[in-house]
Amino acid sequence: MKTNRTLSLRLLAALACTSFSVSLDAQIVAQQISPVPASAAGWACGNVYYVSVAGSNANAGTLAAPWRTVSFAVTQAENLTAVGNPITINILAGTYAANEAFPIELPARGIKLQAFEPGVVLSGTQFEPVLRVDRAGPTSGSCGVTPSTVIRGLTLTSGIVGIEIDTSMSGAPADTPDRVHVHRCQLVQNRAVGITIWTRQGRFSQHVVEECEIAFNANSQGYGTGVDALNLGGTSSNLIRANNIHDNEVGINVFGTPETTEARIVSNFVRDAEWGIVVFNGSARIVNNTQGYGRPFTPNQDVFGVLIGGGGNIVLANNIIWNPPSYAAGASSVTDLSNGSSGAVTQVTNWVLSTVGIGNPPQFVAPPSDLHLQPTSPLMDAGTNAFVLPTINVNVGPISARADCAIDVDGDSRVLDFAQDTVPDVEIGADERTDGGGAPVRLTCQQLDAFGNLHTNGVPTPINVDLSSNPGDLAVLFFWIPQNLDPIPYHRFVASLGSWSIPGNNAVRRAGTGTVGPGGVFTVPLTIPPVLGLELEMFLQGATLTSSGAGAVSNRLMLEINE
């Protein structure tokens, strides 16, 4: 839980003005997460192009003269950009269906395809994927090592699949893992699957699907899956994190081989599915998910909350599995947890209806549609930190954070056990409440859109970053440029803190410290200069301390500098 952590005044002072270093321990069940090469190119080094429903493919692809179709933009941008250098394609609001060539095909490296503003819809043909990542792509260019492809902020609908990732369809495998980052997308009303990830022989995948809504993906008979992660002879360690997955026949389906498949399924809402989370013949870390309210999609079917089969080692920790039989009208049977694995299955502090009984509900806010926890829930501070927070040692006291478990379903910070005591602080389930001493600790910026875009129009742009908490709380706001060495995005709680400036390295800097005002808000005014580089991404985060010594850490804000 993000409240009642013993956070000393000395430690808050250290957060505000002391430099220290941090190293990331991102191991999972058995294998290490491979680092991104240190020389990975930043997006600001590459070319930036634009697409608009009011544009023309005869244009130059600039903001003033955008292209018309996304499929043309991808091909043309690759033709116009030096091999291996980053390409950003910003898509303006509108529905892109007519004249598009589906599937729109991307490499696993080198392209950031994103919404320039909310309201971007790619609507397919029902018979092809909307987007397909079909090749590894170039591994380096004059800017450095080619960054992994990013798909952000898009609504992908009306395809047979919203996004299909299969880098074996074209070209040779790369020497480093394929890492496509699908972020804050909606994958809805596709005819079979929201997103399918294939890992075939000779391929190594560490894809990330996070903060997406994946829903209503089914054919006319109701058969469909939210996320399919299928390993057919390769090596995979994909991360499925902080997604809202609902109204699919199967929520999450992982299939593979025990020795080479280690899925990380973390902090997801998975509801209204016939089979909620399925892992067959693979290893997995299933941590802090809320799976609930399963129901049959056709009459007389068996409903499963979590279904484990075949071989593989499984960690099942801090999950809510809550499937009331009364909700599953017409089901042949309802089973919260079916464990048919021949491998080792570690189960710790899960809240399972069939175990605790219907008289001990998790106290959801408004089930089944809203599975956040009420403040009075018995699952607050009831989880086990061991599978969420391997220790990261720093020079100013040991602080815990885990790359793949660092956020909850809303992108809020997972627990920071500053005191390093033995009291479990993490919640059970996908929701980590943001109450710091009784008031929500939230970081907001009205100048950013839902995807973190800041439109500067080429001039220094003032913004106000607001940290809400209790009046009188001490507050610190800090920021950082994403660390190239981090294979997956995570919350950075501490590192080298100093004055407000964008460092050339990946250090964290202090943006402001002070006291929360009478209105419950601490505001830090900042000016973002475009000279930092278009498409530069930075993150902001805050921490507070009450007079009684209870501390909390805010959500993380992403800010991307755009035209």
Side-chain angles (χ1 to χ4, degrees):
M1 183 179 178
K2 290 187 281 256
T3 69
N4 302 322
R5 299 189 196 97
T6 304
L7 188 64
S8 68
L9 288 167
R10 180 178 300 175
L11 181 53
L12 187 68
L15 278 169
C17 59
T18 304
S19 297
F20 45 91
S21 60
V22 62
S23 59
L24 175 64
D25 176 7
Q27 64 184 3
I28 54 171
V29 180
Q31 66 190 39
Q32 291 281 343
I33 304 300
S34 299
V36 174
S39 57
W43 293 104
C45 177
N47 293 350
V48 182
Y49 302 100
Y50 297 85
V51 185
S52 169
V53 291
S56 168
N57 288 344
N59 285 343
T62 63
L63 181 57
W67 291 319
R68 171 60 182 87
T69 62
V70 178
S71 48
F72 176 85
V74 171
T75 301
Q76 187 71 351
E78 289 184 296
N79 291 337
L80 294 174
T81 305
V83 174
N85 281 356
I87 298 168
T88 297
I89 299 175
N90 286 315
I91 310 173
L92 280 71
T95 297
Y96 296 81
N99 303 316
E100 291 287 356
F102 294 111
I104 299 169
E105 296 180 332
L106 307 171
R109 291 164 180 78
I111 290 185
K112 179 161 60 173
L113 187 70
Q114 66 176 4
F116 188 64
E117 55 194 355
V120 176
V121 179
L122 273 62
S123 183
T125 65
Q126 299 284 337
F127 302 105
E128 295 281 358
V130 180
L131 294 181
R132 173 183 282 156
V133 179
D134 66 345
R135 58 199 186 278
T139 57
S140 64
S142 61
C143 289
V145 174
T146 307
S148 299
T149 285
V150 176
I151 302 168
R152 176 179 292 138
L154 310 178
T155 295
L156 302 145
T157 187
S158 300
I160 192 168
V161 179
I163 300 175
E164 180 182 37
I165 301 176
D166 184 355
T167 62
S168 69
M169 298 184 74
S170 178
D175 295 332
T176 56
D178 298 328
R179 292 190 180 103
V180 176
H181 185 197
V182 181
H183 185 216
R184 295 182 181 174
C185 290
Q186 283 188 306
L187 299 112
V188 295
Q189 294 182 327
N190 294 286
R191 198 159 62 91
V193 185
I195 178 168
T196 298
I197 300 171
W198 299 91
T199 307
R200 301 187 190 272
Q201 188 171 7
R203 307 286 163 156
F204 183 12
S205 65
Q206 290 184 347
H207 304 299
V208 178
V209 180
E210 68 170 346
E211 298 182 77
C212 295
E213 181 182 16
I214 306 172
F216 300 105
N217 296 288
N219 62 15
S220 59
Q221 286 76 45
Y223 303 128
T225 303
V227 180
D228 255 340
L230 310 171
N231 184 354
L232 302 180
T235 300
S236 66
S237 182
N238 301 310
L239 172 61
I240 304 165
R241 175 174 75 168
N243 301 288
N244 184 8
I245 303 173
H246 63 91
D247 294 282
N248 309 281
E249 183 198 19
V250 179
I252 300 172
N253 177 47
V254 175
F255 173 85
T257 56
E259 297 79 15
T260 61
T261 302
E262 292 185 301
R264 292 162 292 150
I265 303 170
V266 181
S267 297
N268 300 284
F269 280 164
V270 182
R271 65 171 177 85
D272 283 280
E274 197 167 283
W275 293 7
I277 299 173
V278 181
V279 178
F280 185 79
N281 215 33
S283 297
R285 178 183 290 270
I286 307 172
V287 178
N288 276 105
N289 299 280
T290 296
Q291 183 284 319
Y293 294 88
R295 59 181 176 85
F297 276 54
T298 53
N300 301 314
Q301 299 298 310
D302 297 323
V303 170
F304 293 94
V306 176
L307 177 61
I308 301 169
N313 298 326
I314 306 292
V315 171
L316 194 68
N318 301 336
N319 299 285
I320 299 173
I321 306 174
W322 194 264
N323 297 282
S326 59
Y327 187 76
S332 176
S333 65
V334 178
T335 304
D336 286 309
L337 173 60
S338 176
N339 178 13
S341 175
S342 59
V345 179
T346 302
Q347 299 185 50
V348 180
T349 54
N350 298 292
W351 199 262
V352 183
L353 187 154
S354 56
T355 300
V356 303
I358 196 70
N360 294 289
Q363 294 187 22
F364 295 126
V365 168
S369 59
D370 188 348
L371 301 184
H372 290 85
L373 297 176
Q374 297 182 39
T376 56
S377 169
L379 308 189
M380 313 297 285
D381 283 334
T384 300
N385 289 350
F387 300 101
V388 179
L389 304 172
T391 298
I392 297 174
N393 292 316
V394 297
N395 294 339
V396 183
I399 293 180
S400 292
R402 195 190 152 82
D404 49 4
C405 298
I407 64 174
D408 77 347
V409 70
D410 300 311
D412 295 329
S413 300
R414 274 293 178 200
V415 92
L416 279 180
D417 188 7
F418 286 102
Q420 286 290 289
D421 55 25
T422 58
V423 178
D425 293 316
V426 68
E427 261 77 294
I428 295 177
D431 179 26
E432 189 85 2
R433 287 192 59 86
T434 58
D435 304 276
V441 177
R442 299 291 299 171
L443 198 63
T444 58
C445 178
Q446 293 185 1
Q447 290 82 9
L448 305 182
D449 69 19
F451 311 120
N453 296 316
L454 176 68
H455 299 294
T456 64
N457 296 314
V459 299
T461 303
I463 63 173
N464 288 326
V465 182
D466 297 324
L467 181 63
S468 61
S469 189
N470 293 304
D473 284 358
L474 297 178
V476 59
L477 178 67
F478 51 96
F479 71 95
W480 69 97
I481 307 297
Q483 169 64 268
N484 285 337
L485 292 175
D486 298 336
I488 54 177
Y490 73 107
H491 282 217
R492 182 188 299 278
F493 303 107
V494 287
S496 180
L497 294 166
S499 61
W500 164 240
S501 63
I502 299 288
N505 56 24
N506 293 301
V508 174
R509 300 294 185 199
R510 184 183 66 224
T513 57
T515 303
V516 178
V521 178
F522 171 64
T523 299
V524 177
L526 304 173
T527 297
I528 306 299
V531 71
L532 294 172
L534 295 180
E535 305 308 322
L536 180 89
E537 293 180 1
M538 58 182 290
F539 292 101
L540 300 102
Q541 198 161 18
T544 64
L545 180 71
T546 69
S547 58
S548 62
V553 175
S554 79
N555 57 305
R556 176 191 67 184
L557 280 184
M558 188 191 82
L559 184 157
E560 180 175 285
I561 301 174
N562 287 320
E563 285 188 75

